[in-house]
Amino acid sequence: MEFSTEFDARIGQGDVTLEARDVALLRAIEDHGSINAAATALGRSYSRSQQRIVELEDAFGELVVRTRGGSGGGGSQLTDRADDLLGRYERLRAEFSGVAEADETVLAGRVVDRDGELATVDTAAGAVRALVPSGDADADVRLTLRADAVTLQNPSRSPDPDRTSARNRLEGTVLGIDAGESVALVTVDVGGDVELSALVTTASVEKLNLHRGTPVVASFKATATRGVPN
C-alpha cells in the first residue's frame, strides 16, 4: 500500500496501484454488466479500460469474468476476489477519512511575500507556501494542514522540490506513531516546537522503517495549506 496526499486511498501490489479511478471502473462494470458499457458510462475509451483491467488482474488476480455472445448476449461480472478488493479499498478509505478529518496541524506565522492568493508565510518551523486570502503583506495568519495532505519521505530519497508539486518541505524527526489496522497517524517534530501530523498506511510505516527518532522529510502542496487572519 502507498500513502496518499490530498486524500485518495490506494492499494498497491508490485508496480500496480489500485486507485479511485480503478474502483469507479470496477463499480461501473458491476452496475452495467460489461466493460464496454462501463467505459461508455464513464466517458472512457473501451480499449484503455480493457487494458487497465488486464493490468489490475496481472497484479491482483482475476477480477472480471467475461462471457461471449450466446442467448444471454454475453457480458462481464466481478469475481469474489474483486468484491474482496473493493471491500478492502472502502475500509481503507473510511479509516483514512475518519482520522484525517479529526486531525490537522495548525501553524501560526506572518506573511512575508505574496503572489495573488498564494503567500509565503514565515512560521516557527520555517517558510511555508499556502493559500491565504488577499490581505496585507505582513499580516499575521493561522495555517491549517490536514494530516492526509502530508507525505513522509526518507531524507536521502526525497525528490528535488523543483521536480514535485509538493513545494513545502520540512525536515524533522518522528515523535510518535499511532497505528490502526490499515493506517497510522505519525507525529513529526519539525522544529520551533511545531508538531506536524501525517497520515500514512501501516505498510508505509514498515517500508520507511519509521519509529521514534527516525529522520524524515514532510512535504505538502501549497494548495493543501489554508491560511486565515489571526
Side-chain angles (χ1 to χ4, degrees):
M1 294 182 186
E2 299 296 334
F3 46 81
S4 71
T5 60
E6 296 189 21
F7 175 70
D8 174 18
R10 299 169 184 172
I11 299 177
Q13 185 69 34
D15 295 330
V16 178
T17 302
L18 179 89
E19 303 180 353
R21 182 177 176 85
D22 302 314
V23 170
L25 176 58
L26 291 174
R27 292 294 189 199
I29 293 171
E30 183 177 44
D31 290 342
H32 298 280
S34 76
I35 298 175
N36 191 20
T40 299
L42 294 172
R44 302 182 190 176
S45 159
Y46 167 73
S47 61
R48 183 65 190 93
S49 297
Q50 171 76 13
Q51 180 184 351
R52 184 56 179 168
I53 292 297
V54 171
E55 293 170 353
L56 292 171
E57 290 187 322
D58 284 344
F60 295 99
E62 187 179 39
L63 302 177
V64 178
V65 175
R66 306 160 182 81
T67 57
R68 294 181 179 278
S71 60
S76 301
Q77 63 183 31
L78 301 187
T79 64
D80 290 341
R81 186 186 297 271
D83 289 336
D84 290 342
L85 184 61
L86 291 173
R88 284 174 57 197
Y89 177 88
E90 291 303 328
R91 289 191 297 273
L92 179 62
R93 186 178 67 84
E95 192 174 353
F96 257 84
S97 296
V99 177
E101 289 173 0
D103 205 290
E104 63 183 13
T105 299
V106 178
L107 288 165
R110 170 165 292 196
V111 175
V112 294
D113 192 20
R114 178 182 290 281
D115 181 11
E117 291 189 346
L118 277 176
T120 300
V121 180
D122 186 20
T123 76
V128 173
R129 290 279 285 170
L131 283 176
V132 180
S134 297
D136 296 336
D138 60 350
D140 290 327
V141 296
R142 185 176 69 256
L143 306 179
T144 57
L145 174 65
R146 279 176 45 141
D148 64 327
V150 180
T151 297
L152 298 182
Q153 297 141 348
N154 184 308
S156 65
R157 299 181 179 179
S158 179
D160 188 293
D162 290 334
R163 298 184 178 182
T164 173
S165 59
R167 293 298 183 91
N168 288 314
R169 290 155 46 93
L170 300 177
E171 295 186 4
T173 57
V174 174
L175 285 177
I177 301 172
D178 184 8
E181 179 181 351
S182 302
V183 299
L185 188 66
V186 181
T187 305
V188 180
D189 178 1
V190 291
D193 292 325
V194 176
E195 296 182 5
L196 188 71
S197 296
L199 190 63
V200 304
T201 64
T202 51
S204 292
V205 171
E206 296 178 4
K207 181 178 179 181
L208 293 170
N209 192 25
L210 298 181
H211 51 79
R212 183 178 177 85
T214 301
V216 293
V217 172
S219 59
F220 49 95
K221 297 179 181 180
T223 52
T225 315
R226 305 302 174 97
V228 295
N230 259 339

PDB file of all heavy atoms in Angstrom, residues 50-71:
ATOM      1  N   GLN A  50     -10.207  -1.807 -21.002  1.00  0.00           N
ATOM      2  CA  GLN A  50      -9.888  -3.229 -21.102  1.00  0.00           C
ATOM      3  C   GLN A  50      -8.427  -3.465 -20.704  1.00  0.00           C
ATOM      4  O   GLN A  50      -8.113  -4.405 -19.953  1.00  0.00           O
ATOM      5  CB  GLN A  50     -10.127  -3.715 -22.528  1.00  0.00           C
ATOM      6  CG  GLN A  50      -9.638  -5.116 -22.831  1.00  0.00           C
ATOM      7  CD  GLN A  50     -10.555  -6.182 -22.257  1.00  0.00           C
ATOM      8  OE1 GLN A  50     -11.661  -5.886 -21.843  1.00  0.00           O
ATOM      9  NE2 GLN A  50     -10.086  -7.418 -22.242  1.00  0.00           N
ATOM     10  N   GLN A  51      -7.555  -2.618 -21.192  1.00  0.00           N
ATOM     11  CA  GLN A  51      -6.121  -2.741 -20.876  1.00  0.00           C
ATOM     12  C   GLN A  51      -5.888  -2.569 -19.376  1.00  0.00           C
ATOM     13  O   GLN A  51      -5.083  -3.284 -18.779  1.00  0.00           O
ATOM     14  CB  GLN A  51      -5.332  -1.701 -21.656  1.00  0.00           C
ATOM     15  CG  GLN A  51      -3.828  -1.748 -21.389  1.00  0.00           C
ATOM     16  CD  GLN A  51      -3.074  -0.633 -22.102  1.00  0.00           C
ATOM     17  OE1 GLN A  51      -3.627   0.087 -22.929  1.00  0.00           O
ATOM     18  NE2 GLN A  51      -1.810  -0.471 -21.768  1.00  0.00           N
ATOM     19  N   ARG A  52      -6.604  -1.626 -18.768  1.00  0.00           N
ATOM     20  CA  ARG A  52      -6.419  -1.388 -17.338  1.00  0.00           C
ATOM     21  C   ARG A  52      -6.883  -2.585 -16.512  1.00  0.00           C
ATOM     22  O   ARG A  52      -6.244  -2.936 -15.511  1.00  0.00           O
ATOM     23  CB  ARG A  52      -7.176  -0.127 -16.910  1.00  0.00           C
ATOM     24  CG  ARG A  52      -6.966   0.244 -15.443  1.00  0.00           C
ATOM     25  CD  ARG A  52      -5.498   0.417 -15.112  1.00  0.00           C
ATOM     26  NE  ARG A  52      -5.294   0.792 -13.710  1.00  0.00           N
ATOM     27  CZ  ARG A  52      -4.123   0.776 -13.098  1.00  0.00           C
ATOM     28  NH1 ARG A  52      -3.031   0.402 -13.755  1.00  0.00           N
ATOM     29  NH2 ARG A  52      -4.017   1.125 -11.831  1.00  0.00           N
ATOM     30  N   ILE A  53      -7.960  -3.220 -16.918  1.00  0.00           N
ATOM     31  CA  ILE A  53      -8.429  -4.411 -16.211  1.00  0.00           C
ATOM     32  C   ILE A  53      -7.356  -5.502 -16.277  1.00  0.00           C
ATOM     33  O   ILE A  53      -7.077  -6.184 -15.285  1.00  0.00           O
ATOM     34  CB  ILE A  53      -9.760  -4.920 -16.800  1.00  0.00           C
ATOM     35  CG1 ILE A  53     -10.888  -3.922 -16.508  1.00  0.00           C
ATOM     36  CG2 ILE A  53     -10.112  -6.290 -16.222  1.00  0.00           C
ATOM     37  CD1 ILE A  53     -11.182  -3.725 -15.038  1.00  0.00           C
ATOM     38  N   VAL A  54      -6.744  -5.665 -17.438  1.00  0.00           N
ATOM     39  CA  VAL A  54      -5.686  -6.662 -17.593  1.00  0.00           C
ATOM     40  C   VAL A  54      -4.510  -6.338 -16.661  1.00  0.00           C
ATOM     41  O   VAL A  54      -3.945  -7.230 -16.006  1.00  0.00           O
ATOM     42  CB  VAL A  54      -5.207  -6.729 -19.058  1.00  0.00           C
ATOM     43  CG1 VAL A  54      -3.957  -7.607 -19.172  1.00  0.00           C
ATOM     44  CG2 VAL A  54      -6.313  -7.262 -19.950  1.00  0.00           C
ATOM     45  N   GLU A  55      -4.141  -5.067 -16.586  1.00  0.00           N
ATOM     46  CA  GLU A  55      -3.045  -4.652 -15.700  1.00  0.00           C
ATOM     47  C   GLU A  55      -3.369  -4.952 -14.242  1.00  0.00           C
ATOM     48  O   GLU A  55      -2.521  -5.452 -13.485  1.00  0.00           O
ATOM     49  CB  GLU A  55      -2.774  -3.153 -15.877  1.00  0.00           C
ATOM     50  CG  GLU A  55      -2.208  -2.773 -17.245  1.00  0.00           C
ATOM     51  CD  GLU A  55      -2.174  -1.281 -17.474  1.00  0.00           C
ATOM     52  OE1 GLU A  55      -2.713  -0.520 -16.632  1.00  0.00           O
ATOM     53  OE2 GLU A  55      -1.623  -0.852 -18.510  1.00  0.00           O
ATOM     54  N   LEU A  56      -4.602  -4.655 -13.845  1.00  0.00           N
ATOM     55  CA  LEU A  56      -5.019  -4.910 -12.462  1.00  0.00           C
ATOM     56  C   LEU A  56      -5.032  -6.404 -12.167  1.00  0.00           C
ATOM     57  O   LEU A  56      -4.610  -6.840 -11.082  1.00  0.00           O
ATOM     58  CB  LEU A  56      -6.399  -4.301 -12.205  1.00  0.00           C
ATOM     59  CG  LEU A  56      -6.487  -2.771 -12.199  1.00  0.00           C
ATOM     60  CD1 LEU A  56      -7.939  -2.319 -12.158  1.00  0.00           C
ATOM     61  CD2 LEU A  56      -5.719  -2.184 -11.009  1.00  0.00           C
ATOM     62  N   GLU A  57      -5.499  -7.192 -13.137  1.00  0.00           N
ATOM     63  CA  GLU A  57      -5.573  -8.633 -12.924  1.00  0.00           C
ATOM     64  C   GLU A  57      -4.188  -9.273 -12.878  1.00  0.00           C
ATOM     65  O   GLU A  57      -3.977 -10.266 -12.163  1.00  0.00           O
ATOM     66  CB  GLU A  57      -6.434  -9.279 -14.006  1.00  0.00           C
ATOM     67  CG  GLU A  57      -7.906  -8.921 -13.870  1.00  0.00           C
ATOM     68  CD  GLU A  57      -8.802  -9.680 -14.828  1.00  0.00           C
ATOM     69  OE1 GLU A  57      -8.374  -9.887 -15.991  1.00  0.00           O
ATOM     70  OE2 GLU A  57      -9.906 -10.059 -14.417  1.00  0.00           O
ATOM     71  N   ASP A  58      -3.246  -8.723 -13.611  1.00  0.00           N
ATOM     72  CA  ASP A  58      -1.874  -9.230 -13.542  1.00  0.00           C
ATOM     73  C   ASP A  58      -1.309  -9.079 -12.128  1.00  0.00           C
ATOM     74  O   ASP A  58      -0.485  -9.878 -11.683  1.00  0.00           O
ATOM     75  CB  ASP A  58      -0.977  -8.493 -14.536  1.00  0.00           C
ATOM     76  CG  ASP A  58      -1.198  -8.942 -15.970  1.00  0.00           C
ATOM     77  OD1 ASP A  58      -1.811 -10.011 -16.170  1.00  0.00           O
ATOM     78  OD2 ASP A  58      -0.769  -8.211 -16.893  1.00  0.00           O
ATOM     79  N   ALA A  59      -1.769  -8.037 -11.436  1.00  0.00           N
ATOM     80  CA  ALA A  59      -1.266  -7.763 -10.085  1.00  0.00           C
ATOM     81  C   ALA A  59      -2.112  -8.425  -8.994  1.00  0.00           C
ATOM     82  O   ALA A  59      -1.575  -9.005  -8.045  1.00  0.00           O
ATOM     83  CB  ALA A  59      -1.214  -6.255  -9.847  1.00  0.00           C
ATOM     84  N   PHE A  60      -3.438  -8.345  -9.121  1.00  0.00           N
ATOM     85  CA  PHE A  60      -4.323  -8.777  -8.037  1.00  0.00           C
ATOM     86  C   PHE A  60      -5.013 -10.118  -8.279  1.00  0.00           C
ATOM     87  O   PHE A  60      -5.663 -10.652  -7.387  1.00  0.00           O
ATOM     88  CB  PHE A  60      -5.394  -7.705  -7.794  1.00  0.00           C
ATOM     89  CG  PHE A  60      -4.844  -6.398  -7.286  1.00  0.00           C
ATOM     90  CD1 PHE A  60      -4.635  -5.325  -8.145  1.00  0.00           C
ATOM     91  CD2 PHE A  60      -4.528  -6.230  -5.941  1.00  0.00           C
ATOM     92  CE1 PHE A  60      -4.124  -4.116  -7.677  1.00  0.00           C
ATOM     93  CE2 PHE A  60      -4.026  -5.028  -5.463  1.00  0.00           C
ATOM     94  CZ  PHE A  60      -3.826  -3.978  -6.335  1.00  0.00           C
ATOM     95  N   GLY A  61      -4.910 -10.666  -9.485  1.00  0.00           N
ATOM     96  CA  GLY A  61      -5.632 -11.891  -9.811  1.00  0.00           C
ATOM     97  C   GLY A  61      -6.913 -11.580 -10.567  1.00  0.00           C
ATOM     98  O   GLY A  61      -7.234 -10.420 -10.839  1.00  0.00           O
ATOM     99  N   GLU A  62      -7.667 -12.613 -10.917  1.00  0.00           N
ATOM    100  CA  GLU A  62      -8.872 -12.427 -11.723  1.00  0.00           C
ATOM    101  C   GLU A  62      -9.908 -11.568 -11.004  1.00  0.00           C
ATOM    102  O   GLU A  62     -10.330 -11.864  -9.892  1.00  0.00           O
ATOM    103  CB  GLU A  62      -9.495 -13.783 -12.071  1.00  0.00           C
ATOM    104  CG  GLU A  62     -10.658 -13.657 -13.046  1.00  0.00           C
ATOM    105  CD  GLU A  62     -11.257 -15.008 -13.409  1.00  0.00           C
ATOM    106  OE1 GLU A  62     -11.369 -15.870 -12.512  1.00  0.00           O
ATOM    107  OE2 GLU A  62     -11.622 -15.191 -14.584  1.00  0.00           O
ATOM    108  N   LEU A  63     -10.307 -10.495 -11.674  1.00  0.00           N
ATOM    109  CA  LEU A  63     -11.274  -9.562 -11.103  1.00  0.00           C
ATOM    110  C   LEU A  63     -12.586  -9.534 -11.878  1.00  0.00           C
ATOM    111  O   LEU A  63     -13.631  -9.199 -11.306  1.00  0.00           O
ATOM    112  CB  LEU A  63     -10.685  -8.141 -11.084  1.00  0.00           C
ATOM    113  CG  LEU A  63      -9.380  -7.959 -10.307  1.00  0.00           C
ATOM    114  CD1 LEU A  63      -8.881  -6.521 -10.453  1.00  0.00           C
ATOM    115  CD2 LEU A  63      -9.547  -8.331  -8.845  1.00  0.00           C
ATOM    116  N   VAL A  64     -12.537  -9.873 -13.180  1.00  0.00           N
ATOM    117  CA  VAL A  64     -13.728  -9.793 -14.029  1.00  0.00           C
ATOM    118  C   VAL A  64     -13.869 -11.087 -14.822  1.00  0.00           C
ATOM    119  O   VAL A  64     -12.920 -11.540 -15.464  1.00  0.00           O
ATOM    120  CB  VAL A  64     -13.633  -8.596 -15.019  1.00  0.00           C
ATOM    121  CG1 VAL A  64     -14.864  -8.554 -15.918  1.00  0.00           C
ATOM    122  CG2 VAL A  64     -13.473  -7.283 -14.248  1.00  0.00           C
ATOM    123  N   VAL A  65     -15.063 -11.687 -14.762  1.00  0.00           N
ATOM    124  CA  VAL A  65     -15.378 -12.865 -15.566  1.00  0.00           C
ATOM    125  C   VAL A  65     -16.106 -12.392 -16.812  1.00  0.00           C
ATOM    126  O   VAL A  65     -17.125 -11.697 -16.728  1.00  0.00           O
ATOM    127  CB  VAL A  65     -16.266 -13.857 -14.793  1.00  0.00           C
ATOM    128  CG1 VAL A  65     -16.672 -15.019 -15.691  1.00  0.00           C
ATOM    129  CG2 VAL A  65     -15.526 -14.375 -13.567  1.00  0.00           C
ATOM    130  N   ARG A  66     -15.568 -12.750 -17.981  1.00  0.00           N
ATOM    131  CA  ARG A  66     -16.144 -12.309 -19.245  1.00  0.00           C
ATOM    132  C   ARG A  66     -16.815 -13.475 -19.944  1.00  0.00           C
ATOM    133  O   ARG A  66     -16.269 -14.583 -19.993  1.00  0.00           O
ATOM    134  CB  ARG A  66     -15.053 -11.719 -20.137  1.00  0.00           C
ATOM    135  CG  ARG A  66     -14.238 -10.591 -19.482  1.00  0.00           C
ATOM    136  CD  ARG A  66     -12.918 -10.401 -20.196  1.00  0.00           C
ATOM    137  NE  ARG A  66     -12.073  -9.381 -19.606  1.00  0.00           N
ATOM    138  CZ  ARG A  66     -11.296  -9.561 -18.541  1.00  0.00           C
ATOM    139  NH1 ARG A  66     -11.283 -10.737 -17.930  1.00  0.00           N
ATOM    140  NH2 ARG A  66     -10.541  -8.578 -18.085  1.00  0.00           N
ATOM    141  N   THR A  67     -18.002 -13.232 -20.482  1.00  0.00           N
ATOM    142  CA  THR A  67     -18.705 -14.241 -21.294  1.00  0.00           C
ATOM    143  C   THR A  67     -18.977 -13.646 -22.660  1.00  0.00           C
ATOM    144  O   THR A  67     -19.211 -12.443 -22.793  1.00  0.00           O
ATOM    145  CB  THR A  67     -20.031 -14.667 -20.638  1.00  0.00           C
ATOM    146  OG1 THR A  67     -20.852 -13.504 -20.433  1.00  0.00           O
ATOM    147  CG2 THR A  67     -19.780 -15.336 -19.296  1.00  0.00           C
ATOM    148  N   ARG A  68     -18.942 -14.495 -23.688  1.00  0.00           N
ATOM    149  CA  ARG A  68     -19.116 -14.010 -25.063  1.00  0.00           C
ATOM    150  C   ARG A  68     -20.457 -14.452 -25.634  1.00  0.00           C
ATOM    151  O   ARG A  68     -20.840 -15.621 -25.508  1.00  0.00           O
ATOM    152  CB  ARG A  68     -18.011 -14.562 -25.955  1.00  0.00           C
ATOM    153  CG  ARG A  68     -16.616 -14.060 -25.612  1.00  0.00           C
ATOM    154  CD  ARG A  68     -15.593 -14.645 -26.572  1.00  0.00           C
ATOM    155  NE  ARG A  68     -14.250 -14.177 -26.298  1.00  0.00           N
ATOM    156  CZ  ARG A  68     -13.749 -13.027 -26.705  1.00  0.00           C
ATOM    157  NH1 ARG A  68     -14.488 -12.216 -27.436  1.00  0.00           N
ATOM    158  NH2 ARG A  68     -12.506 -12.674 -26.412  1.00  0.00           N
ATOM    159  N   GLY A  69     -21.138 -13.521 -26.276  1.00  0.00           N
ATOM    160  CA  GLY A  69     -22.339 -13.804 -27.065  1.00  0.00           C
ATOM    161  C   GLY A  69     -23.329 -14.740 -26.392  1.00  0.00           C
ATOM    162  O   GLY A  69     -23.580 -14.660 -25.192  1.00  0.00           O
ATOM    163  N   GLY A  70     -23.895 -15.657 -27.193  1.00  0.00           N
ATOM    164  CA  GLY A  70     -24.876 -16.606 -26.677  1.00  0.00           C
ATOM    165  C   GLY A  70     -26.234 -15.975 -26.510  1.00  0.00           C
ATOM    166  O   GLY A  70     -26.460 -14.797 -26.819  1.00  0.00           O
ATOM    167  N   SER A  71     -27.160 -16.773 -25.995  1.00  0.00           N
ATOM    168  CA  SER A  71     -28.541 -16.299 -25.840  1.00  0.00           C
ATOM    169  C   SER A  71     -28.651 -15.138 -24.871  1.00  0.00           C
ATOM    170  O   SER A  71     -29.549 -14.307 -24.960  1.00  0.00           O
ATOM    171  CB  SER A  71     -29.430 -17.456 -25.364  1.00  0.00           C
ATOM    172  OG  SER A  71     -28.959 -17.956 -24.118  1.00  0.00           O
TER     173      SER A  71
END
